[in-house]
Amino acid sequence: MPIELICLDADDTLWHNMRHFDATQAIFADLLAPFADAGVSREQLTAIEIRNLKLYGYGAKSFTLSMIETALELAGDRLTDRTIADILAAGRELLAHPVELFPGIEAALDVLGAQARLVLVTKGDLLHQETKLAASGLGDRFSGVEIVSDKNADTFHRLFARHGVAPERAVMAGDSLRSDVLPALSAGAFAAYVPHDIVWEHERANEPVGHERYRRLSHLAQLGDWIAGL
């Protein structure tokens, strides 16, 4: 059965993302050094960030709010206006980072676009994701763009229905087992995992090794060959 729809994640699948968050975490740890060890501040930030997802969602703005909350919890009354201002500056820099495509992405999209319709499926802040897509220069390669608050099986069921395709004729590819692979498989689609070197703790999950509709790839350029053989 031919594949009619290819869904692709954006952050850390098409372009770098986590390394910018990692750099911002390092800045944050330095700012909080008078109040906590780097390991403690990073661990606390991750916990608060995950706790805040249901309130703020995903993205750099949510991350910035979580940095401020973490600083307040760790420093208390000792936290200065200057430190808060520096945290906000780090958050603004995170929002403004340049979009850097992974090597070979444009060629890979050209191959995939000749096989089926391409839809970008990404979660996070609407304005920031739209801005990054525009800066990437890749927008014209996609027949649809879906910026969602979260990715789960229901998200993909609605997406497939909206694009008029049966789940078994769709593929989702991305760097997150939790957000890209597992929910797409649960919705009845094929799913490809393209792992990234830096993995956010919240996105970790057990790999569905042996699943008939799953494949692990080392680069997005391999997706076309896998789809051609389905």
Side-chain angles (χ1 to χ4, degrees):
M1 185 175 295
I3 295 298
E4 298 177 357
L5 194 71
I6 301 172
C7 303
L8 300 174
D9 175 51
D11 293 334
D12 292 317
T13 298
L14 303 181
W15 54 68
H16 288 283
N17 180 63
M18 275 302 299
R19 75 179 186 184
H20 299 294
F21 277 85
D22 209 42
T24 305
Q25 275 196 330
I27 293 171
F28 177 74
D30 286 343
L31 291 172
L32 269 289
F35 314 109
D37 291 337
V40 172
S41 60
R42 281 175 175 265
E43 183 178 345
Q44 185 73 350
L45 174 58
T46 297
I48 289 176
E49 190 180 3
I50 293 173
R51 186 179 74 197
N52 284 339
L53 285 175
K54 62 181 180 294
L55 297 174
Y56 307 140
Y58 296 85
K61 293 176 185 176
S62 171
F63 184 72
T64 301
L65 288 171
S66 293
M67 284 195 292
I68 294 172
E69 185 174 339
T70 303
L72 286 167
E73 287 198 5
L74 292 176
D77 294 338
R78 296 175 294 163
L79 187 65
T80 65
D81 293 346
R82 179 70 262 169
T83 302
I84 294 176
D86 288 341
I87 292 171
L88 287 171
R92 285 193 294 271
E93 186 174 346
L94 179 60
L95 282 165
H97 72 72
V99 174
E100 303 168 79
L101 300 180
F102 288 123
I105 286 299
E106 292 171 305
L109 293 182
D110 288 341
V111 171
L112 295 171
Q115 292 177 300
R117 286 179 289 150
L118 300 184
V119 173
L120 189 72
V121 186
T122 182
K123 62 186 181 184
D125 177 77
L126 177 63
L127 177 60
H128 194 203
Q129 294 302 93
E130 288 179 336
T131 300
K132 286 192 286 186
L133 178 59
S136 75
L138 301 177
D140 291 343
R141 287 176 162 85
F142 294 94
S143 64
V145 176
E146 304 278 347
I147 300 175
V148 299
S149 59
D150 201 358
K151 294 177 186 176
N152 52 46
D154 287 341
T155 303
F156 285 101
H157 279 304
R158 291 192 298 270
L159 187 154
F160 299 148
R162 188 157 50 247
H163 290 274
V165 65
E168 62 270 18
R169 295 198 175 190
V171 171
M172 175 67 199
D175 70 296
S176 171
L177 289 168
R178 180 189 177 277
S179 295
D180 299 319
V181 171
L182 297 181
L185 291 176
S186 295
F190 290 83
Y193 177 44
V194 188
H196 185 263
D197 292 341
I198 307 173
V199 181
W200 183 30
E201 191 64 33
H202 181 64
E203 297 296 344
R204 295 186 184 277
N206 293 326
E207 188 173 357
V209 177
H211 196 294
E212 61 181 4
R213 287 183 277 109
Y214 168 74
R215 180 64 60 90
R216 181 187 181 109
L217 307 174
S218 60
H219 192 279
L220 193 66
Q222 298 175 333
L223 182 60
D225 287 341
W226 181 53
I227 289 175
L230 294 177

